[in-house]
Amino acid sequence: MSVIYLIPNTLGENNFDKIFPAYNKEIISRLRVFAVENIKTARRLIAALGLREIIDQSEFIVLNNKTNPQDVLTFLHQNKAKNIGVVSEAGCPGIADPGADLVRFAHQNGFKVEPLVGPSSILLALIASGLNGQNFSFTGYLPKQQNERVRKIKQLEQKVLKENQTQLFIETPYRVQHMLDDLLKHLHPETLLCVAKNITMTNQMIKTLPVAEWKSENIDLNKQQVIFCIGR
Amino acid sequence: MSVIYLIPNTLGENNFDKIFPAYNKEIISRLRVFAVENIKTARRLIAALGLREIIDQSEFIVLNNKTNPQDVLTFLHQNKAKNIGVVSEAGCPGIADPGADLVRFAHQNGFKVEPLVGPSSILLALIASGLNGQNFSFTGYLPKQQNERVRKIKQLEQKVLKENQTQLFIETPYRVQHMLDDLLKHLHPETLLCVAKNITMTNQMIKTLPVAEWKSENIDLNKQQVIFCIGR
């Protein structure tokens, strides 16, 4: 049975001894077909692992949110005798990228699916936040429009209070400071907020404080990679 | 500033090249204070990494759900000049164990918190399920009492349908077959169910199928380590 290997990418850190088990390189070195969110960053990962020679011997198909699901299915049928590596733009495939479609089809078409261990900013933020990890939810990006975003923030805070469920979400680097401003303005002062910035990188910062204490921190998140978690 | 290192444990697999970045061993070899869910399994991890000599040189404090939060705080104050390793019973600390309390106090007491990359059955199940990873929720164990469990199953399915939110949950090995029976009986035949069994181990099996198709699979989960995910 052919295998779909889910290959984590880096979160911006190229010290593979810190973020990858050795096995990942071993698996990648044996693959010749890759479904990738972005060809450039997938090649960069393979080259950084010292496996440059396999790039020329390999086939790369792009899989992003513009890909037609029918094309994903055709790709699987054409490669059903081969093992396939799925490489995301950053972190684990299938979390916030279109890899999930391919994996769903893979289950329906008799492939074996093997996820490889690697860095996930969501999971690392959660465990380092100190917030409840027995019950948590990740909701991706919040609405762009400010009044809708504020409504969503309050709705997430209600889930923290009523269900004791930690809420994780992300924001694009250029809107992350606005998000922080809204969080500090609209959350209850006692709600715990974790800001997890540039995870696994040398300038990593992960800190959990009550909203009231964050107000005096004067933190600058502009253009940073951030995961937010709220809890109690 | 002292550092709290969050050290993942194995999920039952001792091939560390497959599940741990080399960095984890390097960090563990430098630590002499450990807060652990279970001393025996923490020592076993350290010994299996070939670091047996540090066991005798180290202090181990037990941190489980019987631990008084005041004792956790005292432990932190007594060790504030030292780096501390937190080791869970299995997988990542802080997810389904009391490590989260220690980490929350650590943030409030000026420790730096550094999560190490390692295997998380929840995350590996999610990415390998092919279900929506942009919006998901983990709710731990469902109620033990059957009618309450069935109510909860239906409630989680509603969240899948209304919010397109993938639902992940766990069950103890000796109740896991009952859980599967309830899922197959009470979920809609078209709902997608992922059964992720013995993740990272040699007998790993991860499979996502519509509930209707699972009914003819006759799968035996009795006494297995299982994560369930439902989605659409």
Side-chain angles (χ1 to χ4, degrees), chain A residues 201-230:
Chain A
M201 288 180 263
T202 47
N203 57 350
Q204 169 177 292
M205 185 216 72
I206 306 174
K207 209 163 167 177
T208 302
L209 291 173
V211 165
E213 291 183 31
W214 271 117
K215 288 180 187 175
S216 55
E217 288 277 315
N218 283 320
I219 185 177
D220 180 11
L221 296 181
N222 206 24
K223 295 186 189 154
Q224 310 288 304
Q225 302 280 353
V226 177
I227 305 249
F228 294 101
C229 324
I230 60 174

Side-chain angles (χ1 to χ4, degrees), chain A residues 9-13 19 90-92 119-121 124 198-201 225:
Chain A
N9 206 328
T10 77
L11 298 168
E13 159 72 54
I19 54 164
C92 296
S120 154
S121 54
L124 294 170
N198 304 327
I199 291 187
T200 73
M201 288 180 263
Q225 302 280 353

Side-chain angles (χ1 to χ4, degrees), chain A residues 6 15-24 92-101 103-104 107-108 111-120 122-141 159 163 165 192 194 199-200 204 206-210 232, chain B residues 6 15-24 92-101 103-104 107-108 111-120 122-141 159 163 165 192 194 199-200 204 206-210 232:
Chain A
L6 304 178
N15 176 358
F16 292 102
D17 279 352
K18 190 170 175 181
I19 54 164
F20 267 19
Y23 181 69
N24 294 14
C92 296
I95 296 285
D97 66 51
D101 280 346
V103 176
R104 207 168 58 249
H107 284 290
Q108 288 157 5
F111 282 84
K112 205 172 143 185
V113 178
E114 187 176 326
L116 303 184
V117 172
S120 154
I122 299 167
L123 188 95
L124 294 170
L126 175 70
I127 67 174
S129 71
L131 302 175
N132 186 10
Q134 318 244 20
N135 185 0
F136 66 91
S137 178
F138 171 73
T139 48
Y141 294 97
K159 285 194 185 174
E163 303 169 28
Q165 184 180 58
L192 293 173
C194 175
I199 291 187
T200 73
Q204 169 177 292
I206 306 174
K207 209 163 167 177
T208 302
L209 291 173
R232 61 167 190 188
Chain B
L6 304 179
N15 176 358
F16 292 102
D17 279 351
K18 191 170 174 181
I19 54 163
F20 267 19
Y23 180 70
N24 294 13
C92 296
I95 297 286
D97 66 52
D101 280 346
V103 176
R104 207 168 56 249
H107 284 290
Q108 289 157 6
F111 283 84
K112 204 172 142 185
V113 178
E114 185 174 328
L116 303 185
V117 172
S120 154
I122 298 166
L123 187 94
L124 294 170
L126 175 70
I127 67 173
S129 70
L131 302 174
N132 186 11
Q134 318 246 18
N135 185 359
F136 67 91
S137 177
F138 171 74
T139 49
Y141 294 97
K159 285 194 186 176
E163 303 169 27
Q165 184 179 59
L192 293 173
C194 175
I199 290 188
T200 73
Q204 168 177 291
I206 307 173
K207 210 164 166 176
T208 302
L209 291 173
R232 62 168 189 187

